[in-house]
Amino acid sequence: RGYLDNLTAIGPRTVGSPENEVLAVNYLLEQIRRIARESTDAHKISVDIQRPTGSFSIDFLGGFTSYYANITNVVVKLDPRNGAKHAVLSNCHFDSVPNTPGASDDAVSCAVMLEILNTLSKSSESLQHAVIFLFNGAEENILQASHGFITQHEWAKSVRAFINLEAAGVGGKELVFQTGPENPWLVQAYVVAAKHPFASVVAQEIFQSGIIPADTDFRIYRDFGNVPGIDLAFIENGYIYHTKYDTSDRILTDSIQRAGDNILAVLKYLATSEKLAKSFEYRHGNVVFFDILGLFVLAYPARVGTIMNYITAAIAVFYLSKKVLQPKPRAVHNLKKLFTAFGLTLTSWVCTLVAVLMVAAFVSAIGRALSWYTHFYVSVSLYGTAAAAKLILVHMLAKKFFYKNMTEQYLGDVFFDASLMIWSIALAVITQIGLCSAFICTLWVAFPLLTKLMIHKEFSQKGATIKFIVLYMLGMFVPYLYMLYLSWTVFEMFTPVMGRSGSEIPPDMVLAGFIVIFTMILSSYFINFIYLVKSTKTTLVTLTTVFVVTLILVCSGIFFPYSSDAANPKPKRVFLQHTSRRFHDLDGNVVKSDSGIWINGFDYNGISHITPHVPEINDTIRTVCEEQAPFCGLPWILPVHFMFRLVKNWYLPAPEILPRSPIQFKLLSKELMPWNSVRLSFEVSGPSHMSLYVRPHAGVTLSRWSLGDGVPVTSLGGDYFVFYSHGLRAAPWHFWVELTAPEKHSDGIVSLAIAAHYFFGEDQKSPQLYALLERLPNWTFSSGWSCTYDLFVF
């Protein structure tokens, strides 16, 4: 905790700032040297300060290219006294996003790594392999420092596996949410060594699907280093992730201790493992892994899981076939009834999903989105009760009008079989797709089938007795308990994300969809009870009443989405950029210029809740797209334009800003190349963060450039985006672009814009920006900085 407190006391550690490049680095070096002095003779500690320069392209956020210069890595190598040929890497980052202390993301991980280094170095037990501790200083700049290490550092060649420590929340348990690729021995190492396991292949497949707008250094080590690893992240309380509230006092000591216990044990296990040196021999195959209530982890090869899944599905199909075909004269009748129940169950699910999504769309349309953001129980009371009520209503009507002359016992039996059939089909299909998460379907086939076989005699002779119900509930205990545990993890991760997912996606639709899915899953083997009980009117009326009352309260606006509660804040995120823009023509003349504070609300509600507090931020100042300019002529720090509609960001007129360290942009040369191509070479000097935007004109192709691997990568929308950053004392940035133009263009061949972002220092905030930030309500987290934007045509 001492390490954590001291690191965060430095303040925001933005790449290029003295806080990140000097103060944080000096503190880390001071602690590492102290640890080295106190280490035993069994170990040898080496320290290196790396200042890499490089470039790469990445398909994250729709695709862009990154360039970095003179950023900082603090690299420590703990060797056995006689040295080691192979190493395991442990990675954290000490930089933070602007205007935040970055305690959980990721100072706490660096603090944990310092203590692990301290513990291992004092041990008299020698390790078999080296452990490399990378304290990387530019992760928030979209993974630049890890790229600099794995592609350029001499020690990177010895790395055979890595553990990456990250955060998507503040404190709590650290979740293993990515492993591999392949290399099942790494998961087994975590299973054997971790003292407090928390891992899920479901989280891995959700994260790697791209649903969550985030990425980690795991990608860099995997894609550019071809190294397998384990990705861990704190996931609790994501509401204050990347905000000013991410302070050290919010991270419990127990949470730090738990992470330290786990990571120390796994690192030690890997550093003494024979498999690390021969990791390529154990490379093949994926793993199904999941923890049981945090007590232990079950892990087995995906190919074994595939066999288990198909066998389970086959047994269920055999059971259903045997049941349908006996007695033979009634086989067609039985089959008809089974498929009718199957179809009715699916119909009830579709009707439920449509109905609940209509409610969510209505709530969004009237401006009451995110009413549950601070009060999660509201989402359950609104969408959960609506889903349950709709399911019950559909089956109650079917029972009353379609199944008038059938016994409750027969109906209960056939609807159980219909649910079993649905889960068996889902199991086979998901297994065929190749998703390891199919193990969930296995639980929902195996346990219900075993339960049915055990209580079949009791049910067929006496019907739905108390004994039957008790045995039925006990048999379903395992899948229901695991599903509730998994749903808690999913909602813990996803609910806060809805507050930072942009203005394009209606969060109520997303959350309502999740709630319906979990309602369908949890109710699948209780649908039969709707047919077994005499009446469900009381239940239906109760659920409907709760839904209606909650809907009225939501429509009234009583549930305010955001909270400034000091103990548990759930702020609205607002980004403000005081911008001065200049648009130049082909001759270099300024044809248009303006200045204003560009405002983006990071959720679906935009600024509707802010306008009453700051009346001048209203719909009359919505941002206008400059069609002739790449990315609408706006100074995006990252290519996240697809997450925000222009009708949901604002441009408040403000005086021009004049940075004390203005950007210098020069065309150095223009060379004619073969095949109707021209090469334009540029030099740029400016602040630590800049964005380059390129749009070739109609009929012109950007064929090559000096960035990344030389092949230009487009962003969503067709323009090109380059993210640039530098540490201290970086040389001017030189780059060239090569364009192919089959014919002469009187209006030029390319529009190229450069934005300079001032994240720290005397140029960061203008007096006007300061004044506006002060007026924002206390339930917002506002991140503000100044920037300039210049568009040129060549």
Side-chain angles (χ1 to χ4, degrees):
R1 176 163 288 282
Y3 297 137
L4 173 61
D5 291 341
N6 291 332
L7 261 178
T8 53
I10 293 170
R13 301 171 302 283
T14 310
V15 171
S17 69
E19 289 80 5
N20 191 69
E21 309 300 326
V22 178
L23 298 180
V25 170
N26 286 348
Y27 175 75
L28 289 169
L29 289 175
E30 180 186 327
Q31 301 309 310
I32 291 163
R33 286 165 183 155
R34 178 187 58 79
I35 290 169
R37 287 194 299 269
E38 299 172 1
S39 65
T40 66
D41 293 336
H43 310 283
K44 181 173 62 177
I45 295 179
S46 308
V47 185
D48 184 50
I49 306 299
Q50 185 196 20
R51 311 272 188 190
T53 295
S55 182
F56 62 96
S57 295
I58 189 171
D59 61 2
F60 179 52
L61 296 177
F64 67 97
T65 299
S66 183
Y67 186 96
Y68 54 90
N70 219 42
I71 57 174
T72 306
N73 280 324
V74 179
V75 197
V76 186
K77 189 177 186 183
L78 182 71
D79 264 315
R81 177 51 59 184
N82 296 323
K85 185 179 179 182
H86 308 286
V88 57
L89 171 70
S90 181
N91 177 77
C92 72
H93 67 90
F94 58 86
D95 66 313
S96 70
V97 294
N99 304 308
T100 69
S104 187
D105 186 25
D106 193 32
V108 67
S109 297
C110 291
V112 167
M113 277 174 42
L114 281 172
E115 186 56 32
I116 290 173
L117 173 62
N118 184 44
T119 302
L120 289 176
S121 68
K122 288 182 177 177
S123 171
S124 57
E125 181 184 349
S126 181
L127 301 172
Q128 184 176 344
H129 309 293
V131 181
I132 296 172
F133 296 87
L134 173 58
F135 300 88
N136 96 52
E139 189 272 349
E140 298 296 357
N141 281 12
I142 315 300
L143 322 178
Q144 291 178 334
S146 56
H147 182 270
F149 172 79
I150 203 67
T151 60
Q152 299 177 41
H153 201 282
E154 183 66 25
W155 294 346
K157 299 171 185 175
S158 66
V159 174
R160 299 292 174 265
F162 69 88
I163 296 179
N164 183 49
L165 315 181
E166 255 298 348
V170 178
K173 298 191 289 185
E174 76 289 350
L175 171 69
V176 172
F177 65 101
Q178 285 192 101
T179 65
E182 297 191 311
N183 286 273
W185 67 277
L186 273 174
V187 178
Q188 291 297 340
Y190 179 83
V191 171
V192 171
K195 295 185 178 181
H196 317 285
F198 185 37
S200 174
V201 73
V202 178
Q204 172 172 292
E205 291 180 340
I206 289 174
F207 189 82
Q208 292 180 351
S209 72
I211 293 174
I212 298 177
D215 216 332
T216 74
D217 288 321
F218 182 98
R219 171 200 283 264
I220 298 297
Y221 299 132
R222 178 194 68 196
D223 295 352
F224 293 93
N226 196 27
V227 181
I230 300 173
D231 213 359
L232 302 100
F234 295 103
I235 64 166
E236 283 189 18
N237 200 7
Y239 298 98
I240 57 177
Y241 164 77
H242 280 188
T243 73
K244 64 183 179 182
Y245 300 107
D246 183 11
T247 51
S248 61
D249 59 295
R250 296 184 187 277
I251 304 174
L252 297 177
T253 301
D254 286 349
S255 181
I256 302 172
Q257 185 65 50
R258 172 199 160 87
D261 288 344
N262 280 342
I263 297 158
L264 172 61
V266 176
L267 274 177
K268 200 170 181 180
Y269 183 92
L270 292 173
T272 55
S273 171
E274 295 287 344
K275 291 183 178 179
L276 186 76
K278 304 174 183 177
S279 59
F280 61 91
E281 294 181 9
Y282 307 96
R283 183 179 60 198
H284 297 294
N286 290 315
V287 184
V288 180
F289 61 93
F290 53 95
D291 71 285
I292 306 299
L293 305 178
L295 300 174
F296 59 92
V297 173
L298 283 179
Y300 49 87
R303 60 181 180 275
V304 173
T306 298
I307 295 168
M308 288 169 51
N309 294 347
Y310 281 132
I311 290 175
T312 303
I315 291 171
V317 170
F318 176 76
Y319 161 81
L320 291 170
S321 301
K322 188 175 179 182
K323 194 168 180 183
V324 165
L325 296 175
Q326 289 183 354
K328 283 187 179 180
R330 292 183 60 82
V332 175
H333 176 266
N334 292 341
L335 194 62
K336 183 180 176 183
K337 291 301 177 187
L338 177 61
F339 275 99
T340 301
F342 175 84
L344 190 56
T345 301
L346 291 181
T347 301
S348 70
W349 287 358
V350 172
C351 290
T352 299
L353 182 61
V354 170
V356 176
L357 289 181
M358 286 175 65
V359 174
F362 170 73
V363 169
S364 301
I366 65 170
R368 299 302 182 194
L370 292 167
S371 295
W372 38 264
Y373 192 64
T374 294
H375 322 275
F376 184 73
Y377 64 86
V378 173
S379 66
V380 178
S381 298
L382 184 63
Y383 302 124
T385 56
K390 186 66 177 180
L391 273 173
I392 291 172
L393 177 63
V394 171
H395 288 285
M396 194 173 81
L397 292 174
K399 180 182 177 182
K400 184 174 181 180
F401 296 107
F402 190 73
Y403 291 117
K404 285 189 282 190
N405 302 318
M406 294 187 186
T407 65
E408 286 88 351
Q409 191 171 337
Y410 176 79
L411 289 173
D413 199 42
V414 76
F415 273 93
F416 176 93
D417 292 344
S419 294
L420 183 64
M421 183 177 174
I422 290 170
W423 278 109
S424 300
I425 293 171
L427 174 59
V429 170
I430 295 173
T431 303
Q432 181 61 35
I433 292 171
L435 294 178
C436 293
S437 300
F439 78 89
I440 296 172
C441 297
T442 302
L443 295 177
W444 285 100
V445 173
F447 281 92
L449 182 56
L450 285 171
T451 301
K452 186 66 183 294
L453 293 173
M454 287 190 296
I455 63 176
H456 175 71
K457 188 175 180 181
E458 170 75 17
F459 181 67
S460 59
Q461 291 178 354
K462 301 177 183 178
T465 61
I466 296 297
K467 182 181 177 182
F468 162 79
I469 293 171
V470 171
L471 292 172
Y472 190 90
M473 298 290 283
L474 287 173
M476 297 291 183
F477 181 74
V478 170
Y480 271 89
L481 182 64
Y482 183 76
M483 204 65 210
L484 289 170
Y485 177 63
L486 180 64
S487 63
W488 167 81
T489 305
V490 170
F491 285 118
E492 184 77 39
M493 289 175 63
F494 267 96
T495 307
V497 170
M498 294 295 99
R500 58 178 190 269
S501 57
S503 64
E504 290 290 283
I505 303 169
D508 278 64
M509 301 281 282
V510 175
L511 191 72
F514 273 120
I515 289 174
V516 170
I517 290 168
F518 279 107
T519 302
M520 292 189 303
I521 292 172
L522 294 171
S523 67
S524 56
Y525 285 106
F526 280 93
I527 288 173
N528 51 327
F529 278 89
I530 299 172
Y531 296 90
L532 286 172
V533 299
K534 294 294 182 185
S535 174
T536 52
K537 274 186 180 178
T538 303
T539 305
L540 184 60
V541 168
T542 303
L543 290 169
T544 304
T545 302
V546 173
F547 163 70
V548 171
V549 170
T550 306
L551 182 60
I552 292 170
L553 292 174
V554 166
C555 292
S556 73
I558 196 171
F559 299 114
F560 190 70
Y562 315 106
S563 169
S564 60
D565 177 24
N568 190 23
K570 293 178 180 176
K572 176 182 178 62
R573 298 162 191 259
V574 186
F575 281 50
L576 303 94
Q577 296 169 238
H578 191 166
T579 304
S580 286
R581 302 190 298 174
R582 293 182 299 178
F583 299 82
H584 301 76
D585 63 13
L586 190 56
D587 297 321
N589 302 312
V590 176
V591 293
K592 179 182 177 181
S593 64
D594 61 28
S595 295
I597 298 177
W598 185 41
I599 304 163
N600 277 287
F602 254 52
D603 63 44
Y604 191 76
N605 284 329
I607 47 88
S608 58
H609 294 88
I610 294 176
T611 301
H613 299 267
V614 190
E616 58 265 41
I617 303 178
N618 56 56
D619 289 344
T620 64
I621 59 163
R622 283 182 173 169
T623 308
V624 176
C625 177
E626 300 290 343
E627 299 289 349
Q628 82 283 6
F631 293 90
C632 280
L634 295 168
W636 296 102
I637 180 65
L638 287 170
V640 292
H641 54 291
F642 61 93
M643 295 172 61
F644 299 89
R645 287 179 290 177
L646 286 181
V647 295
K648 285 203 174 181
N649 56 63
W650 296 262
Y651 197 67
L652 179 66
E656 182 182 4
I657 56 168
L658 299 170
R660 293 169 181 83
S661 305
I663 192 170
Q664 302 293 328
F665 184 83
K666 299 177 186 175
L667 174 65
L668 296 180
S669 65
K670 180 178 178 181
E671 301 174 65
L672 292 177
M673 309 295 286
W675 308 105
N676 296 321
S677 294
V678 61
R679 177 179 290 184
L680 304 175
S681 299
F682 300 94
E683 178 184 281
V684 187
S685 296
S688 63
H689 292 71
M690 294 185 282
S691 306
L692 176 71
Y693 322 92
V694 183
R695 176 185 289 178
H697 291 183
V700 180
T701 303
L702 178 59
S703 51
R704 293 196 305 149
W705 60 8
S706 59
L707 308 169
D709 61 1
V711 179
V713 173
T714 58
S715 292
L716 289 177
D719 293 334
Y720 297 83
F721 187 101
V722 181
F723 177 85
Y724 169 91
S725 77
H726 70 68
L728 296 179
R729 295 179 294 278
W733 178 27
H734 291 90
F735 68 93
W736 54 261
V737 297
E738 198 167 294
L739 300 118
T740 303
E743 56 189 46
K744 200 166 184 179
H745 288 67
S746 59
D747 59 345
I749 59 173
V750 64
S751 293
L752 190 149
I754 187 90
H757 303 272
Y758 297 88
F759 280 127
F760 54 86
E762 56 187 5
D763 288 329
Q764 182 183 4
K765 294 175 185 175
S766 64
Q768 294 79 15
L769 183 56
Y770 263 120
L772 185 58
L773 291 170
E774 287 295 315
R775 295 174 60 195
L776 294 177
N778 61 359
W779 40 261
T780 63
F781 165 68
S782 51
S783 184
W785 67 94
S786 297
C787 60
T788 61
Y789 176 97
D790 286 276
L791 174 73
F792 301 92
V793 180
F794 299 98

